[in-house]
Amino acid sequence: MLEEVERWLSTRSWSVTDRPLHQILAAKQRTGQSVSVVLPALNEEETVGDIVAIIRHDLMQQVPLVDEIVVVDSGSTDRTSQVAAAAGATVVHRDRILPRVPTVPGKGEVLWRSLLVTRGDIVCFVDADLREFSSDFVSGIVGPLLTDPDVHLVKAMYDRPLGSAAGQGGRVTELMARPLLNMHWPQLAGFVQPLGGEYAARRSLLEQLPFPVGYGVELGMLVDALHLVGLDALAQVDVGVRKHRHQDGQALGRMAAAIYRTAQLRLARGHLIRPSLTQFERGEDGFEPRTYSVDTEERPPMVEIAEYQERTAA
C-alpha cells in the first residue's frame, strides 16, 4: 500500500462515534448548509418505508439534521411509491425529471436526475433495500462534510454479511472493483466499500461529475472525484453492519461487466465498441446463451444541463 494511502487511512477514516450528533448539528447551524437524502428505488416496497420513517423520526423530527428525503422511483411495479410517500418522503418518478432527455435503465441514471429535484448543499445517497436500518448511515457520512470544509465526498464502510457468513458480502467488490482500483488507481486502495451505495457529497462536487448510467456509477464517481478534488478531499466512516437483499451470481456478473467497462473508459477515453456479456443458463436442450448489453452511456456533469443552470440562477 502506498504511504500516501496509509496516511489517508489514519487521517480520513473515521467511526460514526467520532462525531457526536450535537457536534454535527452545531456545525450545520453554524455553516447554514442544507442536507438532502436521496433513495433510488426499484420495487423496494418491503424496505423503503422503514428507511424513510427512521430517517424522518431520528434526523428530522428528533433533531433538524436532514432537510428533505426524496425517493426517486425508477419504474417500480409494486407499491414502492405509495409506501415511501406514506412514510413521509417526497416521491418523484424518474421519467418526470428532465423529460426532454429520454431515460435509460440504471441506478446511475436515477442518481444523476436526483440533482434536479433536490436542493441540499450536501446530498446523501442511501440504497432502498437495506434491512435493520440505522440513521447512523446518514449522520455518519454527512458529519464530516458539515464539520470539515476540506472534505467533499464521504463513503460509508461496514461489514457485509452474506446470510450467516460474516464479511462475505460484496463479492463484486472483492473480485472486480478492488483489484481494478489497486492496480490502476492505487490511491483509492484504502476504501473499504468502494461500491457501497451509501455516500454523501457536496453538491458543488456532484454537479461537476459525469454519471455512468448503470452499476458503474460508484466506481466512476470515486475515480473522477479523485482527479477533480484529490485524495484528501475523500473520506470514509465506519457505520457498523449493512444488511440488504443479495443478487444471484449472474446478476453480479452483469454488474461486474458494467464496472469493468466504467474503469476501461477512464483508462482509455477513446472510441470503443459497445460491449456485451454472454452468460449461460441450462434449458431443455442444454446450456443456452443469454447475451446482455453492458452499460456504457454516461450522463454529462449536471452543471452543463440548461435546466439545472436555470434553477441555480433563480
Side-chain angles (χ1 to χ4, degrees), residues 163-183:
S164 59
Q168 295 302 307
R171 291 161 286 173
V172 175
T173 292
E174 301 304 330
L175 297 174
M176 176 59 70
R178 200 177 307 286
L180 280 172
L181 292 175
N182 276 262
M183 287 187 290

Side-chain angles (χ1 to χ4, degrees), residues 42 71-75 92-99 101 103-106 109-110 113:
L42 178 62
V71 171
V72 183
D73 190 336
S74 58
V92 185
H93 195 283
R94 172 200 63 193
D95 296 351
R96 296 180 180 176
I97 306 171
L98 199 62
V101 179
T103 57
V104 296
E109 175 84 350
V110 173
R113 290 175 186 265

